Amino acid sequence: MELTSSVLVYAVAALAVLTLLTTLWLWPRLARQRPLPLLGRLGLLTLTQLAVLAVCGLTVNDAYGFYSSWRDLLAPDTSTLALGPGLSGGKGGPPTGDALVQPTDEGGLSGITDLPQGKPEEVGRVESIRVNGKATGLSDQMFIYLPPEYFNPKYSRERFPVLLTLAGFPGGPLNLLSELRTPQTAWELQRTGKMAPTVVVMARPGVTPRNTECVDVPGGPQSETWFAKDVPAALRSAYRVSRSPGSWGVFGYSTGGSCALRLAMRDPGSYGSAAALHADYQVQPDWTTGDLFNGNQQLAQGYDLSWRLHNEPVPRSALLVVSTRTEDDYAATQQFLATAKQVSAAHPEFTVDSLFLPDGGHTFDTWRRELPAALEWSGDHLAAAPDREPVG
């Protein structure tokens, strides 16, 4: 049974109720002040408390996606096994020991009931995969949406542009399907001609339970390298996707949006564009991050996006900043946009657009309203893949 399954939550809740009723029934029978009845009472109290804590933990994890699978909970980032590119939507061929992507039943995909129904060549397909990184040694579960054209023999030698989408923190890739409805919206835009056929990858921003804000932590997880190097390399090894950074974009909301902007500005050789919903423009330490830079202010400064625009070479990137006029970070967003537009006027290779709703908060209700425009913008800024599959 999946860790994120609601059935598991209900089953454990029923067990907790049963444990409580059993405690109430047995308590009078264990009233004697002797060692065995005393141990019995302690055991009943312990079991009841553990059952209640399990229900609370599963409910919180189901809502926020700290852990997407039993493997993620019990053995995080320990496996670098790969089955090869013989995925159902990949290049085909037998599995090889050095491949970087493998199909998996992790993540809770089976619980999503509103995906487009039909043959893959008609509606595309969403798959659950595990991606393993050579450079960082990190490993994580993701979802990938392959458009209908990917399965059409007419496009069998074509490579496709890629949009990496990042959830907020805490949260897992399942939120991009169940709450934001990312592949469902992308399919509708592609079906109506508002977005070119695009491979959409859905991931969480924190490869570990710690919120790393997609930075390379000194002596810790190399999250930026994971997204800038490992993820593109792994996906290119298993799927017909473009090798050109101009055909790769990144999108995210909340922490995922902050990561999207940083990746496009710091790693334009990996991602040519970024769309961010309700992002931050600096890495602010809090209880979820701790001190990511071990007190190194120079290193922290390098992740300050406004500082980079003034002090580092201007990247060849296209950015979209999306928020609302009632959001807490509205002033900071306006300040960043003013700096970005000033730089853009002198450096046409760097562009920035913005979109603001009159109201809305830091919620999925607001992000769903903003999603179609953000995806359409992303599609417009993904260059058609210039490369084709080699013959033979």
Side-chain angles (χ1 to χ4, degrees):
M1 190 180 296
E2 285 285 347
L3 179 63
T4 55
S5 170
S6 58
V7 176
L8 179 61
V9 177
Y10 297 144
V12 175
L15 179 62
V17 172
L18 180 61
T19 304
L20 177 59
L21 294 176
T22 302
T23 300
L24 294 174
W25 180 63
L26 290 176
W27 196 264
R29 293 164 174 76
L30 300 173
R32 294 181 181 181
Q33 298 303 314
R34 294 181 180 179
L36 287 179
L38 179 60
L39 290 175
R41 293 198 300 271
L42 288 175
L44 288 173
L45 289 175
T46 300
L47 288 174
T48 302
Q49 291 177 346
L50 288 176
V52 171
L53 287 174
V55 173
C56 293
L58 289 169
T59 302
V60 171
N61 186 71
D62 191 42
Y64 292 103
F66 291 103
Y67 302 95
S68 61
S69 66
W70 290 108
R71 172 178 176 171
D72 194 18
L73 173 65
L74 301 175
D77 303 319
T78 59
S79 173
T80 56
L81 295 175
L83 299 182
L87 304 175
S88 58
K91 291 181 179 181
T96 60
D98 60 351
L100 303 174
V101 178
Q102 65 183 92
T104 178
D105 58 2
E106 299 173 85
L109 180 61
S110 59
I112 305 299
T113 59
D114 63 342
L115 293 173
Q117 300 298 312
K119 298 178 180 179
E121 58 270 25
E122 297 174 350
V123 299
R125 181 163 62 206
V126 177
E127 299 178 345
S128 179
I129 58 174
R130 175 159 286 272
V131 177
N132 303 293
K134 278 188 175 180
T136 65
L138 295 171
S139 175
D140 208 7
Q141 181 268 330
M142 301 179 182
F143 298 110
I144 185 168
Y145 167 71
L146 304 170
E149 289 80 4
Y150 192 91
F151 304 95
N152 189 329
K154 179 181 177 180
Y155 299 92
S156 61
R157 292 180 55 207
E158 299 292 334
R159 294 184 180 271
F160 290 81
V162 178
L163 181 63
L164 171 67
T165 63
L166 300 175
F169 184 93
L174 191 65
N175 283 347
L176 288 159
L177 286 85
S178 61
E179 303 294 336
L180 199 61
R181 303 187 74 253
T182 305
Q184 298 93 320
T185 306
W187 150 247
E188 183 62 25
L189 290 172
Q190 294 180 35
R191 184 184 67 82
T192 56
K194 297 180 180 179
M195 186 178 185
T198 302
V199 171
V200 180
V201 181
M202 290 149 276
R204 58 176 177 167
V207 190
T208 66
R210 181 183 183 183
N211 181 10
T212 58
E213 291 278 351
C214 298
V215 310
D216 282 348
V217 180
Q222 303 295 287
S223 297
E224 180 180 3
T225 301
W226 161 254
F227 284 117
K229 305 298 181 184
D230 281 345
V231 171
L235 294 175
R236 286 171 179 144
S237 75
Y239 294 96
R240 300 195 317 274
V241 294
S242 176
R243 299 186 179 94
S244 169
S247 301
W248 282 67
V250 57
F251 158 90
Y253 64 87
S254 190
T255 301
S258 306
C259 290
L261 295 178
R262 293 188 195 108
L263 288 169
M265 291 184 63
R266 289 178 54 89
D267 302 281
S270 299
Y271 301 96
S273 63
L277 311 185
H278 301 231
D280 291 323
Y281 311 97
Q282 297 175 318
V283 177
Q284 299 287 357
D286 59 26
W287 68 272
T288 68
T289 65
D291 183 3
L292 291 171
F293 305 107
N294 296 336
N296 188 331
Q297 294 303 312
Q298 183 177 3
L299 184 59
Q301 200 171 45
Y303 287 92
D304 183 325
L305 300 187
S306 295
W307 182 91
R308 291 191 66 84
L309 288 175
H310 285 301
N311 297 278
E312 296 288 346
V314 177
R316 183 177 294 276
S317 302
L319 307 181
L320 172 67
V321 174
V322 183
S323 192
T324 69
R325 302 188 188 280
T326 56
E327 180 65 285
D328 291 340
D329 66 353
Y330 180 68
T333 299
Q334 289 297 315
Q335 183 178 0
F336 171 75
L337 285 173
T339 300
K341 290 179 179 179
Q342 182 181 11
V343 171
S344 178
H347 298 273
E349 71 274 17
F350 173 77
T351 63
V352 59
D353 296 311
S354 60
L355 171 66
F356 291 94
L357 291 178
D359 55 36
H362 214 72
T363 66
F364 281 108
D365 286 340
T366 299
W367 297 328
R368 279 192 295 267
R369 293 161 59 198
E370 298 165 341
L371 179 64
L375 289 182
E376 189 172 349
W377 180 95
S378 295
D380 289 342
H381 289 79
L382 289 174
D387 40 10
R388 295 170 64 92
E389 285 284 331
V391 178

